[in-house]
Each structure stands twice: as structure tokens, then as C-alpha cells.
Amino acid sequence: MGNPAFGAGIWHFATYVDRYATDGYGEPVTLVESIDRAGAVGDLSFVDLTYPFTDPGITLDDVKAALARNNLKVIGITPEIYTRVFAKGAFTNPDPAVRERAHDLITDAAGVVRELGASYVKLWPGQDGWDYPFQVDHHALWKNSLDGVGRLAEENSDLRFVIEYKPREPRVKMSFDSVARTLLGIEKIGLPNVGILLDFGHSLYGGESPADAAQLAIDYGRLFGMDVNDNFRGWDDDLVAGTVHPIELFEFFYTLRKNSWEGVWQLDQFPFREDSVEAAKSAIEFLKAVDRGLDRLDVDAMQKAQDQHDALTALRLARQALFSSL
Amino acid sequence: MGNPAFGAGIWHFATYVDRYATDGYGEPVTLVESIDRAGAVGDLSFVDLTYPFTDPGITLDDVKAALARNNLKVIGITPEIYTRVFAKGAFTNPDPAVRERAHDLITDAAGVVRELGASYVKLWPGQDGWDYPFQVDHHALWKNSLDGVGRLAEENSDLRFVIEYKPREPRVKMSFDSVARTLLGIEKIGLPNVGILLDFGHSLYGGESPADAAQLAIDYGRLFGMDVNDNFRGWDDDLVAGTVHPIELFEFFYTLRKNSWEGVWQLDQFPFREDSVEAAKSAIEFLKAVDRGLDRLDVDAMQKAQDQHDALTALRLARQALFSSL
Amino acid sequence: MGNPAFGAGIWHFATYVDRYATDGYGEPVTLVESIDRAGAVGDLSFVDLTYPFTDPGITLDDVKAALARNNLKVIGITPEIYTRVFAKGAFTNPDPAVRERAHDLITDAAGVVRELGASYVKLWPGQDGWDYPFQVDHHALWKNSLDGVGRLAEENSDLRFVIEYKPREPRVKMSFDSVARTLLGIEKIGLPNVGILLDFGHSLYGGESPADAAQLAIDYGRLFGMDVNDNFRGWDDDLVAGTVHPIELFEFFYTLRKNSWEGVWQLDQFPFREDSVEAAKSAIEFLKAVDRGLDRLDVDAMQKAQDQHDALTALRLARQALFSSL
Amino acid sequence: MGNPAFGAGIWHFATYVDRYATDGYGEPVTLVESIDRAGAVGDLSFVDLTYPFTDPGITLDDVKAALARNNLKVIGITPEIYTRVFAKGAFTNPDPAVRERAHDLITDAAGVVRELGASYVKLWPGQDGWDYPFQVDHHALWKNSLDGVGRLAEENSDLRFVIEYKPREPRVKMSFDSVARTLLGIEKIGLPNVGILLDFGHSLYGGESPADAAQLAIDYGRLFGMDVNDNFRGWDDDLVAGTVHPIELFEFFYTLRKNSWEGVWQLDQFPFREDSVEAAKSAIEFLKAVDRGLDRLDVDAMQKAQDQHDALTALRLARQALFSSL
């Protein structure tokens, strides 16, 4: 192993709005411009594209051309099931017509996955959940969550679907909120083509150990994708990977390598106030050090320390391997 | 339904130490004294007893006598698998001999459950988990957690085992940390006699909706017990039930009644600085209002509001029913 | 006392965007429409207006007319020092020209305060702070925060300025993050016309007791305004007041009344997915119960219980007064 | 600068109890044994001693002898104002007689400070605060906090008093909970001999930036002491320094050096399940790397990056300096 392929959500290279800076944290960026910025990073091989494509008049061929000139492939398509129409939920919307609309949008996205030869449809049901106590019937809500995903997986058995869980935001509480809950749902659905996309930051601020979460998903054969970033354990800050919690990020990748997990090392960062190309470069610079650190790590000594739950020795080994690799 | 039976962990009536007040928050209380205090509450029908019994020279007959004179039955036995010898874990201790010792202690506790005609052995593996990044092999740790519980459930198929999950404390991170993780483990074990004891406060400070957690456990047929208290969502404060989050407590009991869940309404409170009998009375006073509130609640209107995800209407209904019942 | 005047931030009646639902949680609402919605609540006497006014071609007279026909007065003006140009800070922007621009915008807002006979200029420096470790020179950042506010207060000594502190969002960490920090800054500035606007929810999710925060600000003579909402203690959810934490909300208003604090009871809610007029009505319905509850509360018994730190008695008194008033 | 003196709270070398492992996480350790363990670390020059001394029959001369043979000096004395008698508060106890008892104990501790030539009396009022809404009169509670400290500082004007603030534990909420609140109180007291002992972990899990907190205390001339450890931002885990948040620890020490703060680098760790001497050695090994990293850091480039709020550059500089120094 080693020499991982790097990827990024295309939104990494967009600009953002929030509920305060409603005029945005910069000039709007078209999809094609975003792809060019992704290309400018130099180390990226993959992007995840949101769907529908937003540039006026843009065609799939335009997208393909932009990707080709930047040497980028598409790892996944993320249908936007979290915009206005889905404000009260996509799979769990109280209105069956809206649930159907989510289904149709995702079905379209599945077609794009096939067209682009991507690896999966990514489901991030950020509006599915609740805000208040007593707001929903929890049995019905969860059932709708699983039925919606299961139906898609059944109808598109040639494709993979990945669920990106997250504790909250924009919904005050999301239904797919943790690795264990998501695995429980996936096992209930019982189809081979549904898995997890593990976002390091979501796991971290959800109170999980991302390394433990990855191990669990791997043990169920469901870790289909991952992405990284950083935060302060209280919110999905989507900061540059490695800036705040380098040790836990290293443990996360240690767990992946130990299990011979091979997949794209993706970035899911929101550089609100930073240059997006520089933010990606900074993260990749660190991730390369992580990769070298894994080469250097004395894995036998690490296993021995872990067998004894010897934290001090394990951390000394980890720190030396990582820090000397920067 | 209505007129629930009330219960309490016997530790509710003890005194406590912590890492600062090492001389304790009051004079030590014997088990027999604790049982008498539980009896003095007047509304309690059940207690959960820790095991081994700590009074010097105490016999099972002494315990039975104390219970009888206070009209108390035993709902469960909690083997103390979180004391010094188990500081690095019970089921997951790196030393196989300590794991065996945990097994033996729990097996003894199972005998006491039979003797007393109690409902279950309660497993609260508070030392099973980790403190540091890189400290443990997460695959092995989780496997040991499940193997340990599964072996006991298999050997004692006439008894029920309940796992009380908790995010953390005393371990910085506990392996059975959430409802979903615990259900995932229980399904993997695959035996009918392993279930969950849902502690309202653990669920709350773990970022769950306790009502949602209860529904999920019920949907898997695994909600074998529950207890209540309150906290500030950041730690297991074990405050008096109803004092801080009355609405969510009401939603929790609404969910139980809706599912026709019948079981003991238990208290798991640590009144460090309050009179323990008064603290129990205060909680039960509130729980009786909850029970009356459920009688008053317009459940059809509630279901209709929830079907629309109409939080404002649902909360108005809930508030009116609960508040007018105090 | 009793019969409080109610108010609301005008944004309560707008629609919102966030970083996911970039098409907004509803059709855009003009300022004039927002004012009409505020009028439709029926119980509102005051609004807080953001500045500059956003409707194309709108004049101050248009605003005055809309206010007049809805029987609304203006309590404060909130200059928008948190939009794109201020993304890296208003008072603390690294670029002195942007700091000057913030100064100019606030100065204009001060003029509008005078024009409308409002009570204060509200400063909410949501972009002033930092995102990453090592990002800023903390001495310089805090100095700029105080210099910026102090200069305005000095130049506009006929007006009041209120600082609305908040732990974070949109900035990962805000410089005016807590009641104590803000008071410390205000005392350093040393002018009589700078005070605090205490947002109940900011205090709650910042780990404060809002009642304690209010008492502290009052003890320094600096509680110039307040608003309420609710959340889950982890983020500024801006939910409807009273829906999650009714007890602490009641304690907050108890503290205000005890200190004979008289001012407008304002709403700062973001009803993303609810009807905004209904959300305001729901909150005010609860706040009226709070007001009646304060009339009923046995304040002597409460003081006596608090003198003994007797939580069980104090909470019983509070609960009975509040719950019976709904 | 450079070559800092290291110190530790003597409790680092004790064993612990908590509310679950009431038989303790190891055999009890006498004070003299603890001092010998501190000596065994090899790099420690200072200890902070709790008072009263707990070994039966121990004299001050015994303590002096143990210190002398281990080449240890005493930096401060920590009177135990958080044991059973003070369960409802020391300075803020509702019973004036208990408040007086706290005063007397601290006065005795002041005598020991003089005897041992220590630098300060450390005040850690862990039981001063509240658990429940409505429990206390916040005005009176805070007044008692300040009166208690102020009286001692006045009576012992030859000595320094340091307040170690902390958000919570054992009290659900502590009155001296943050750097800003503590500074506000100290300024109100208005005496030169009251300052802050800043615990890195308390600051971190209180949601502060420890570097910012240090800068603020320094700007008020009140940073009289500090200690370090680590945690997961949600509780005072008292883990080994540098194991989880190395970057923020480095920023903390960068701030101290930048301000030419000279003082002892103390450890406040609770190695529940680790060898205490090894835990201290591990921390000091990291702290020495921090010290070397500060020698290597390009401070001009750092200042320039911070003047621009350029996080990516600042973090690259910090990481390179620290990581290459291990």
C-alpha cells in the first residue's frame, strides 16, 4: 500500500453562504470553475460531484471535458436532497410526493453515476430528522429512512449507495446520526450494495473515535468510502485536515491500512475564509506525511502495546512515526 | 395502563465518594440501611441491588428480611464489574484472568437473581473501553465485549441479561456507548435473553433523543428495562428526574406507553448533596404527574401532529397535558 | 410589574439560507413583508431591524409607514457587520480599511437609531474571532475588539450600544463569547453607554446559567437588552422559546423581575421550517405563562430555599408556579 | 528563555477513587511515598502539596526531609476545601460556620506556604457553585465567592493567592468557571496578590482557547501559575499532556514565551490506570519537545502570518517547528 489516491468533494472549491453572510463568502463559482480549481491542486485524482449540475446550460459533456482536462475522475455523485423542497426531509418528508421527488432525483443521479463510471451514489440526508421533542413519530421516521434507501438499492442493484451519516446540521438531529445507527439500518435493509461513507469530522464531533468507527464499518464489510477534515468536537467545522487533531487522524488511517482498506483519501473541507486550492494543498501535504508515517510505524510494537492497552507506549510510537514524517 | 410500579437502584440511598471528596459526601451507609431508606420513600416497589453485598457478615437472608419488611422486591442484580480489579476492563481487560474473574462474579450474581426471583442480571461495563487514541485494538476490544456477554447469556439461558450503555465515565470512552451500538452488538450475539436497560440520562448526554432510543430498542424487542434521572447534556449528573428536562422525559414515557411497554419506572439518581429519601420522593411526585399527563394527552391529535412533523402543535398538546397534571 | 412588552428581531419573519439549502427555506421575504408579518402576531410592540434595509429602493419613510400601520416601534438597529466584506472580521479584520468600513456602517446605523427613536445600536460581531489554533495574535485581536466598540461609543455618546455575545457561529470562535468576557471588555472601555444584550440561547449553549449571566450583567449595570429562544445546549438552534428548557427560562425571568429589570421581552428565533407568525405566537403564549407564573410564585419561600441552597424545594415552588400558569 | 523548570501536583503520584471504583484504582499511597515517586521522575523541581497532610503522624519536618532527598521545592499549597464538610461549598456554603472553617483551613495553609517558602496558596473551590436551576441566589453566591477570597488576600498581603478556575466537577457548575469570570472577580476584589492558575485542560474543555486565556490573564498581570494535561474537550479527563491536542498545547506555550512569562511548567494529570512516574515522564518528554520547538519557531514569520490571520501559514510554521523537535 501507500501512495494513496486523493479526492475531494467539488464543493471544497465553491464559495459558501450561511444564515448570516447571505451574500456569500466570495463570488459565486460555477461547477466548471470548481473543477478547474480542483485540477489546480495538482494532487487530486477524484472528485465527488453534487447533482443536478448548477451552471446554466451545462451538459454532461461539458462536465466530462472539464474533468478530462484536469485529469480528474468522478468517485461519486451526491444528489442534492437537502435543498428547499426537502427542508422537512427527503426520505422522511411527511409529504409522500416529496419523498417520491427525492427518489426521482436520486434515480437520476444513479444514471449519472453510470454515465461517468463513478463508484457510488452518495446519500447525505441532512434534512431527514427532527428539530423538537415530540415533533415526529420515531418509529415511522426511521422506517421511512430505511424504506427509501432500500428501494433505491433494490432498483439499482448494479450500483453502490453510500450513506454519509452525521449527528446534526442542518437538521437539529439527523436520523442517520452515527456509525452504529447507520450499520443497524443497513443490516436491516439487508442488501449488499449499501454501505457507509465515513466522514472523519462527523465521527469526531459525534463523540466517536473515528478509528473505532472505521473498524466497525470494516468488520461489517460496509466501509465503502471516507473523507477527512477537522473540527473542535462540537460542530462540523470542516476545517483543514490535520490542523487540530493530528493524532486521531493518524489513528484513523492506521486502522484503514491495518485492514488493507484501499480507497480514495477524500477531502470534505469548507474553506470559508481561505483560498480553496491552498486549503486542499495544506491538507494533502499533511496526508502525505500520514502515509509516510504509516510506512515508518513499527506495527508489531504497536500491536503489542495495544494488546496490553498500553497507551503511553502506543502514543510514543505513533507520535514518533508521524512527527518525523512531516 | 397507568399506575406504574416504581423502583430505584439501591445506590440512590447510599453516600458517595469522588476523586476530590475522598472522605465521602456523608457517613457510609450499609446495604441494610439503604434498603430501609428505600422503604421510607413509600412509593417504591422494586430495588436493583449491587453485588457482592458489602455489609460485613451480611447473608442473603438478611437482605431478604430487610426487603420484606420494606415491601420491596428485587428487579435486578448489578455485579460490580467496575471496581479496582476491573480498572482496565471487565469483558475487555487485557488480562484473560481478569476477564475470567468478571465472568465468575457475574455468574455468582446470576445465582442471586435466581435466588431472589429477580428479572435480570444488569451489566454495566463502565471500565470497558479506552482513554487514549491508539490505546486499543478496536476490533479485538469489541469482540471481547460481545464474547463476554454472549458466553454468559448462553450459559444462563434461563435468565435475562440487560446491558446499560453509557457514553463514558469512568472510562473516557465506553464500548457500549449508545443504543444503536448496543443493539448492533446484541443482534450479533443473537440470543433472545440479552437486552438493553435504557438510562434516560445516558441517552440524553450521549446526544440521543431518549424517546427515539426507546423506540428503536422496542422495535428490536430489546427494551428490557429503564431508569430515569436528569443532567445538563454534557455528563451523567444523575440529578433528580424532571428537574431540568421535563418535556423530553414526558416524550420518553409517551413513547413507552404508545408501545404498551410495561415495566418498572426506576430511578438512577445520585443525590450527592440532597437527602436521598426526599430526592426520590421529588422524582416520583413528578413521575406521577407524567403518568396522569399521559392519561390526559390527546393521543390522536398528537399522532396527527407528528404525522405532519408539526412541532408547535405537538408541543402545545404535550405541555398542556403534562403541566396541568402536576 | 408584569404585562411585559414583547419584541422580535425582524429576521424572525424572514426566510433563511444555510450552506446546504442555498436556495433558501422559502421564498425571499422583503423587509416590508417581514414587518407586516410581525404585525400579524398581534402581541408584538417592538422590532429590531437589520441595517442596511434590503428592499430595492426602500426609504426610511417606507419603513416608518410599515411600522406605523402595524403598531410597531423599533427597539434597536443591527448593522450587518457579518456579511461578505466582513468575513474575516469587522472590528478585528486584519485589513484596517475593512475595520473602517465597519465603523462607517455602524455610524450610519447610529443615525437610523436617532431617526427612529430606537433604544440602541446592536453590535453582533459574529465574524470577529478565529477558526484555527495559531491563526491570530490574541492580544491584538481583543484590543481591536475593544478599540472598535469604544471609539463608536465615544463618538456617539448620546446613544447606547449593546454587544450581543455568542460563543461561536459563524466564526468557529467569537471574541465576545460570554457574559464575563464581554463585561470585562466593557469595564475596560469604561464608558457608560456600552452594555450587553443577553441572548438566552447563547448563554445556554455557552455553558452558562442564563439566570446567573443576567444577574452578573445587572450587578454591573450593563444589562441593556435581552432576547430568548431555545436550543439543545450545543449550538445556537434558535428554536421557539420554552419548548426545550422551560425551567431555566423561568429562572431567567425570575432573576429579571427580582432585580426590577424592565425592558422588552424579545424573540430571537429562526423558524426555518415553521410558519414564522405561528412560531412567534407559540413563544409569546409561553412567555405570558411565565409572566403569570412570576405573579404566582412565592418569592419569600423561594428566597428562603435559595438561602439554604435547597434545590428540591426551590424547584417545587418554581414548577408549581409555572406549570399552573399555562 | 528555554530550559523550563517542571513541577507537578503531588496528587499526580497518588491513587484515586471515584464514585464507582470506591476501592480505588490502586493501593493507597502516603504523602511521603508520593514525594518519592515525584522524585523518581527525574525532571521535576517543584511540587504542589495538598493540605492538611494526610499521613498519620506526619510532621512538617518529615515533609521537608522527603522533599529535600528528592531535590524538590514546593511551589504552592492547596488547602482541601472540597472534602465532605465543604460539599455544599467553601466560600459560598449556606452555613456561615462552614465558610469560617474554610477560611481557617486556608489560613493554616498560608502558614505552611510561609514555612516552606512556597510561591502561593492555591484556591480551587470545586464545591462552590450549584447543581440545579433555581438552587441559589446568584448575586449572593458570587458575592460570597469574592468576599471569601478578598478577605484572605487582605489578611495575608505578604502572600499570593491563585484561583484555579474550572467549568465544573465536582459541582455541576462552578462559580469560578472561566478565565474571564475569574478576572472579573479579581478586578472587583482589587488586590495585587490575587491571580490565576490556568489549567490548560480546564480552559480547553470550557470552550476557551488556552492560548487566548493565557494572553488575557497576562494582559491583566494576573497569570501567577499554570499547569497542563489533556482531555477530549468535554470533561476534565486529566490525561497526559500532549497526547490528544499537541497543537493547542504548543500554541499555549508559544503565548507564554512571547510574553516572556516565566514560571514552572506544572503537570496536573490523573493517571488512573497508568504508572504515575511513567505518565509524568511521557508528558515531560513532550514538553521538552515543545520547548525546543519554540526555539526553532520562526517567530517573525509567525507574527506576520497572524497579522494577516493566515491560518494555513501559521499552522505550517507551528507544525514544522514542533514536529521536528520531538
Side-chain angles (χ1 to χ4, degrees):
Chain A
M1 280 171 289
N3 293 318
F6 295 105
I10 197 64
W11 52 91
H12 186 297
F13 304 99
T15 52
Y16 314 104
V17 297
D18 61 26
R19 61 176 175 150
Y20 300 112
T22 55
D23 58 344
Y25 285 81
E27 290 296 322
V29 176
T30 67
L31 174 57
V32 168
E33 287 166 344
S34 293
I35 294 172
D36 287 338
R37 286 190 188 182
V41 173
D43 277 305
L44 292 177
S45 308
F46 289 91
V47 288
D48 176 325
L49 299 181
T50 51
Y51 179 84
F53 306 134
T54 47
D55 300 3
I58 196 172
T59 67
L60 195 54
D61 283 342
D62 297 337
V63 174
K64 284 179 180 172
L67 292 165
R69 76 166 168 267
N70 287 289
N71 288 314
L72 291 168
K73 283 166 282 185
V74 174
I75 183 164
I77 295 291
T78 301
E80 297 206 283
I81 54 173
Y82 39 77
T83 49
R84 188 191 299 179
V85 65
F86 304 114
K88 287 191 166 188
F91 298 123
T92 65
N93 199 288
D95 180 350
V98 177
R99 298 203 293 267
E100 205 60 28
R101 215 167 138 177
H103 179 80
D104 293 347
L105 177 62
I106 299 167
T107 301
D108 287 353
V112 179
V113 166
R114 288 185 192 95
E115 273 281 346
L116 292 174
S119 300
Y120 50 70
V121 182
K122 192 177 81 189
L123 304 175
W124 179 68
Q127 302 284 9
D128 288 77
W130 60 90
D131 300 313
Y132 288 93
F134 277 104
Q135 183 168 13
V136 300
D137 176 325
H138 291 288
H139 173 84
L141 190 95
W142 185 234
K143 187 179 183 310
N144 277 343
S145 293
L146 302 190
D147 286 354
V149 175
R151 180 182 166 201
L152 286 158
E154 202 154 23
E155 292 174 356
N156 300 276
S157 59
D158 59 318
L159 291 186
R160 287 186 146 192
F161 290 81
V162 301
I163 302 170
E164 183 175 0
Y165 69 84
K166 182 174 167 178
R168 49 167 311 183
E169 194 219 8
R171 214 59 202 247
V172 169
K173 182 70 182 175
M174 276 179 60
S175 49
F176 287 106
D177 68 342
S178 62
V179 69
R181 181 75 180 241
T182 307
L183 285 172
L184 203 61
I186 289 172
E187 293 303 293
K188 180 69 88 185
I189 291 171
L191 295 171
N193 58 330
V194 185
I196 282 179
L197 184 140
L198 200 166
D199 180 285
F200 177 84
H202 296 177
S203 181
L204 195 73
Y205 96 89
E208 298 174 353
S209 152
D212 174 55
Q215 183 65 59
L216 190 70
I218 287 170
D219 285 343
Y220 277 84
R222 300 289 185 178
L223 189 67
F224 288 7
M226 60 89 167
D227 53 37
V228 295
N229 44 56
D230 214 332
N231 62 52
F232 283 85
R233 296 187 206 271
W235 190 252
D236 187 28
D237 302 315
D238 283 328
L239 302 177
V240 172
T243 53
V244 190
H245 297 106
I247 307 289
E248 283 149 293
L249 192 70
F250 191 50
E251 189 193 14
F252 176 70
F253 282 106
Y254 167 71
T255 304
L256 296 184
R257 182 176 290 195
K258 181 177 160 182
N259 288 278
S260 303
W261 188 89
E262 290 187 35
V264 178
W265 293 24
Q266 291 188 76
L267 306 180
D268 183 1
Q269 306 180 150
F270 275 65
F272 284 91
R273 301 172 187 86
E274 281 72 39
D275 178 87
S276 58
V277 174
E278 288 307 309
K281 283 184 175 175
S282 173
I284 291 173
E285 178 186 319
F286 189 76
L287 293 178
K288 286 180 174 175
V290 164
D291 189 49
R292 286 191 298 271
L294 292 175
D295 291 340
R296 285 188 190 194
L297 184 67
D298 183 339
V299 294
D300 292 334
M302 177 60 80
Q303 186 64 49
K304 201 175 149 199
Q306 291 188 341
D307 289 345
Q308 297 304 316
H309 298 198
D310 178 356
L312 299 182
T313 299
L315 281 162
R316 183 174 289 124
L317 291 165
R319 210 145 59 184
Q320 283 169 345
L322 175 61
F323 287 11
S324 65
S325 298
L326 195 74
Chain B
M1 280 170 290
N3 292 317
F6 294 105
I10 199 63
W11 53 90
H12 186 296
F13 304 99
T15 51
Y16 314 104
V17 296
D18 61 26
R19 61 175 173 151
Y20 301 112
T22 54
D23 58 344
Y25 284 81
E27 289 296 322
V29 176
T30 67
L31 174 57
V32 168
E33 287 167 345
S34 293
I35 293 172
D36 287 338
R37 287 190 187 181
V41 173
D43 276 305
L44 291 178
S45 308
F46 289 91
V47 287
D48 177 325
L49 299 181
T50 51
Y51 178 84
F53 306 135
T54 46
D55 301 3
I58 197 172
T59 67
L60 194 55
D61 282 343
D62 297 336
V63 173
K64 284 179 178 173
L67 292 165
R69 77 167 169 267
N70 287 289
N71 287 315
L72 291 167
K73 281 166 284 187
V74 174
I75 183 164
I77 296 291
T78 301
E80 297 206 282
I81 53 173
Y82 40 76
T83 49
R84 187 190 300 179
V85 64
F86 304 113
K88 288 191 165 189
F91 298 123
T92 64
N93 198 290
D95 180 351
V98 176
R99 298 202 293 269
E100 205 60 29
R101 211 163 142 181
H103 179 80
D104 293 346
L105 176 63
I106 300 167
T107 301
D108 287 353
V112 180
V113 166
R114 289 186 191 93
E115 272 281 348
L116 293 172
S119 300
Y120 50 70
V121 182
K122 192 177 83 189
L123 303 176
W124 179 68
Q127 303 283 10
D128 287 76
W130 61 89
D131 301 312
Y132 289 92
F134 277 104
Q135 184 168 12
V136 300
D137 176 325
H138 291 288
H139 173 83
L141 191 95
W142 185 235
K143 186 178 185 309
N144 277 344
S145 292
L146 301 190
D147 286 353
V149 175
R151 179 181 167 200
L152 285 159
E154 203 155 22
E155 292 174 355
N156 301 275
S157 59
D158 59 318
L159 291 186
R160 285 186 146 192
F161 289 82
V162 301
I163 301 171
E164 183 175 1
Y165 69 84
K166 183 175 167 177
R168 47 168 310 182
E169 195 220 6
R171 213 64 201 244
V172 169
K173 182 70 181 173
M174 274 179 60
S175 48
F176 287 106
D177 68 342
S178 64
V179 69
R181 180 76 181 239
T182 307
L183 285 171
L184 203 62
I186 289 172
E187 292 304 292
K188 180 68 88 187
I189 291 171
L191 295 172
N193 59 328
V194 185
I196 282 179
L197 184 141
L198 199 164
D199 180 286
F200 177 84
H202 296 178
S203 181
L204 195 73
Y205 96 90
E208 299 174 353
S209 151
D212 174 55
Q215 184 64 60
L216 189 71
I218 287 170
D219 285 343
Y220 277 85
R222 300 288 184 179
L223 189 67
F224 288 8
M226 61 89 167
D227 53 38
V228 294
N229 46 56
D230 214 332
N231 62 52
F232 282 85
R233 297 187 205 272
W235 190 251
D236 187 28
D237 302 315
D238 283 326
L239 301 177
V240 172
T243 52
V244 190
H245 297 105
I247 307 289
E248 284 148 292
L249 191 69
F250 192 50
E251 190 194 14
F252 175 71
F253 282 107
Y254 167 70
T255 304
L256 296 185
R257 182 177 289 195
K258 182 178 162 184
N259 288 278
S260 303
W261 188 89
E262 290 187 35
V264 179
W265 293 22
Q266 292 188 74
L267 306 180
D268 183 2
Q269 306 178 150
F270 276 64
F272 285 90
R273 301 172 188 84
E274 281 72 40
D275 178 88
S276 58
V277 174
E278 288 308 309
K281 284 184 173 174
S282 174
I284 290 173
E285 179 186 318
F286 189 77
L287 293 178
K288 286 180 173 175
V290 164
D291 189 49
R292 287 191 298 271
L294 292 176
D295 291 340
R296 285 186 190 193
L297 184 67
D298 183 338
V299 296
D300 292 334
M302 177 59 79
Q303 186 63 49
K304 202 176 148 199
Q306 292 189 340
D307 289 345
Q308 297 305 315
H309 298 198
D310 178 356
L312 298 182
T313 299
L315 281 163
R316 183 174 288 123
L317 290 164
R319 208 145 60 185
Q320 283 170 344
L322 174 62
F323 287 11
S324 66
S325 297
L326 196 74
Chain C
M1 281 170 288
N3 292 317
F6 295 105
I10 199 63
W11 52 91
H12 186 295
F13 303 100
T15 51
Y16 314 104
V17 296
D18 61 27
R19 61 175 174 150
Y20 301 112
T22 54
D23 58 343
Y25 285 81
E27 290 296 322
V29 177
T30 66
L31 174 56
V32 168
E33 288 166 345
S34 293
I35 293 172
D36 287 338
R37 287 190 187 181
V41 173
D43 276 305
L44 290 178
S45 309
F46 289 91
V47 287
D48 177 325
L49 300 181
T50 50
Y51 179 83
F53 306 135
T54 47
D55 301 4
I58 196 173
T59 66
L60 195 53
D61 282 343
D62 298 336
V63 174
K64 283 180 179 172
L67 292 166
R69 74 168 170 267
N70 287 289
N71 288 314
L72 291 167
K73 283 164 282 186
V74 174
I75 183 165
I77 296 290
T78 302
E80 297 206 281
I81 53 174
Y82 40 77
T83 49
R84 187 190 300 180
V85 64
F86 303 113
K88 288 191 167 189
F91 298 123
T92 64
N93 198 289
D95 180 351
V98 177
R99 297 202 294 269
E100 203 62 27
R101 211 164 143 181
H103 179 81
D104 293 346
L105 176 62
I106 300 167
T107 301
D108 287 354
V112 180
V113 167
R114 288 186 191 93
E115 272 282 347
L116 292 172
S119 299
Y120 50 70
V121 181
K122 192 178 81 189
L123 303 176
W124 179 68
Q127 303 283 10
D128 288 76
W130 61 90
D131 300 313
Y132 289 91
F134 277 104
Q135 183 168 12
V136 300
D137 175 326
H138 291 289
H139 173 84
L141 190 94
W142 186 235
K143 186 177 185 309
N144 277 344
S145 293
L146 302 190
D147 287 352
V149 175
R151 178 180 166 202
L152 285 158
E154 202 155 23
E155 292 174 355
N156 301 276
S157 59
D158 60 318
L159 291 186
R160 286 185 147 194
F161 289 82
V162 301
I163 301 170
E164 183 175 0
Y165 69 86
K166 183 175 168 177
R168 47 168 311 182
E169 195 220 7
R171 213 63 201 246
V172 169
K173 182 69 182 174
M174 275 179 60
S175 48
F176 287 106
D177 68 342
S178 64
V179 69
R181 180 76 180 240
T182 307
L183 285 172
L184 203 61
I186 289 172
E187 293 303 292
K188 179 69 86 186
I189 292 171
L191 295 172
N193 59 329
V194 185
I196 282 178
L197 185 140
L198 199 165
D199 179 286
F200 177 84
H202 296 177
S203 181
L204 195 72
Y205 95 91
E208 298 175 353
S209 151
D212 174 55
Q215 183 64 58
L216 190 70
I218 288 170
D219 285 343
Y220 278 84
R222 300 288 185 178
L223 190 68
F224 287 8
M226 60 91 167
D227 52 39
V228 295
N229 45 57
D230 214 333
N231 61 53
F232 283 85
R233 297 187 205 273
W235 190 252
D236 187 29
D237 301 316
D238 283 327
L239 302 176
V240 172
T243 52
V244 190
H245 297 105
I247 307 289
E248 283 148 294
L249 192 70
F250 191 50
E251 190 193 14
F252 175 71
F253 282 108
Y254 166 70
T255 304
L256 296 184
R257 182 176 291 195
K258 182 177 160 184
N259 287 278
S260 303
W261 189 88
E262 289 187 34
V264 178
W265 293 23
Q266 291 188 75
L267 305 181
D268 183 1
Q269 306 179 150
F270 275 65
F272 284 90
R273 302 171 187 86
E274 282 71 40
D275 179 88
S276 58
V277 174
E278 288 307 310
K281 283 184 174 174
S282 175
I284 291 173
E285 180 187 316
F286 189 77
L287 294 178
K288 286 180 174 176
V290 164
D291 190 49
R292 287 190 298 272
L294 292 176
D295 291 340
R296 285 187 190 193
L297 184 67
D298 184 339
V299 296
D300 292 334
M302 177 59 80
Q303 186 64 50
K304 202 175 147 198
Q306 291 188 341
D307 289 345
Q308 297 304 316
H309 299 197
D310 178 357
L312 299 182
T313 299
L315 281 163
R316 183 174 287 124
L317 291 165
R319 209 145 61 185
Q320 283 170 345
L322 174 62
F323 285 11
S324 66
S325 297
L326 196 74
Chain D
M1 280 171 290
N3 294 316
F6 295 105
I10 199 63
W11 52 90
H12 186 296
F13 303 99
T15 52
Y16 314 104
V17 296
D18 62 26
R19 61 178 175 148
Y20 300 112
T22 54
D23 58 343
Y25 285 81
E27 291 295 323
V29 176
T30 66
L31 174 56
V32 168
E33 287 166 345
S34 293
I35 294 172
D36 287 338
R37 286 189 187 183
V41 174
D43 277 305
L44 291 178
S45 309
F46 289 91
V47 288
D48 176 325
L49 301 181
T50 51
Y51 179 84
F53 306 135
T54 47
D55 301 3
I58 197 172
T59 66
L60 195 55
D61 283 342
D62 298 336
V63 174
K64 284 180 179 172
L67 292 165
R69 76 168 169 266
N70 287 290
N71 287 314
L72 292 168
K73 282 166 281 185
V74 174
I75 183 165
I77 296 292
T78 302
E80 297 207 283
I81 54 174
Y82 40 75
T83 50
R84 186 189 299 179
V85 64
F86 303 114
K88 288 192 165 190
F91 298 124
T92 64
N93 199 289
D95 181 350
V98 177
R99 298 201 294 268
E100 204 61 28
R101 213 165 139 178
H103 179 80
D104 293 346
L105 177 62
I106 299 166
T107 301
D108 287 354
V112 179
V113 167
R114 288 186 191 94
E115 272 281 347
L116 293 173
S119 300
Y120 50 69
V121 181
K122 191 177 81 189
L123 303 175
W124 179 68
Q127 303 284 8
D128 287 76
W130 61 89
D131 300 313
Y132 288 93
F134 277 105
Q135 183 167 12
V136 300
D137 176 326
H138 291 288
H139 173 84
L141 191 94
W142 185 235
K143 186 178 185 307
N144 277 342
S145 293
L146 302 190
D147 287 353
V149 175
R151 179 181 167 202
L152 285 158
E154 203 154 23
E155 291 174 357
N156 301 276
S157 59
D158 59 318
L159 291 185
R160 286 185 145 192
F161 290 81
V162 300
I163 301 171
E164 183 176 0
Y165 69 85
K166 182 175 169 178
R168 47 167 312 183
E169 194 218 9
R171 213 60 201 246
V172 169
K173 181 71 181 173
M174 275 179 59
S175 48
F176 286 106
D177 68 342
S178 63
V179 68
R181 181 75 179 242
T182 306
L183 285 171
L184 204 61
I186 288 172
E187 294 304 293
K188 181 68 87 185
I189 292 171
L191 295 172
N193 58 329
V194 185
I196 283 180
L197 184 141
L198 200 166
D199 179 286
F200 177 84
H202 297 177
S203 181
L204 195 73
Y205 95 90
E208 298 174 353
S209 152
D212 175 55
Q215 183 65 59
L216 190 69
I218 287 170
D219 285 342
Y220 277 85
R222 300 289 185 178
L223 189 67
F224 289 7
M226 60 89 168
D227 53 39
V228 294
N229 44 57
D230 214 331
N231 62 52
F232 283 86
R233 297 188 205 271
W235 190 253
D236 187 27
D237 301 316
D238 283 327
L239 301 177
V240 172
T243 52
V244 190
H245 297 105
I247 307 289
E248 284 148 293
L249 191 70
F250 191 50
E251 190 194 14
F252 175 70
F253 282 107
Y254 167 70
T255 305
L256 296 185
R257 182 176 292 195
K258 183 177 160 183
N259 287 278
S260 303
W261 188 89
E262 290 186 35
V264 178
W265 292 24
Q266 291 188 74
L267 306 180
D268 183 2
Q269 306 179 148
F270 275 65
F272 283 91
R273 301 172 188 85
E274 281 72 39
D275 178 88
S276 58
V277 174
E278 289 306 310
K281 283 183 175 175
S282 174
I284 290 173
E285 179 186 318
F286 189 76
L287 293 178
K288 286 180 174 176
V290 164
D291 189 50
R292 286 190 298 271
L294 292 176
D295 291 341
R296 286 187 190 194
L297 184 67
D298 183 339
V299 295
D300 292 334
M302 176 60 79
Q303 186 64 50
K304 201 175 149 199
Q306 292 188 340
D307 289 345
Q308 296 305 315
H309 298 198
D310 177 356
L312 299 182
T313 299
L315 281 163
R316 183 173 289 123
L317 291 165
R319 210 146 58 185
Q320 284 170 343
L322 175 62
F323 287 10
S324 65
S325 298
L326 196 74

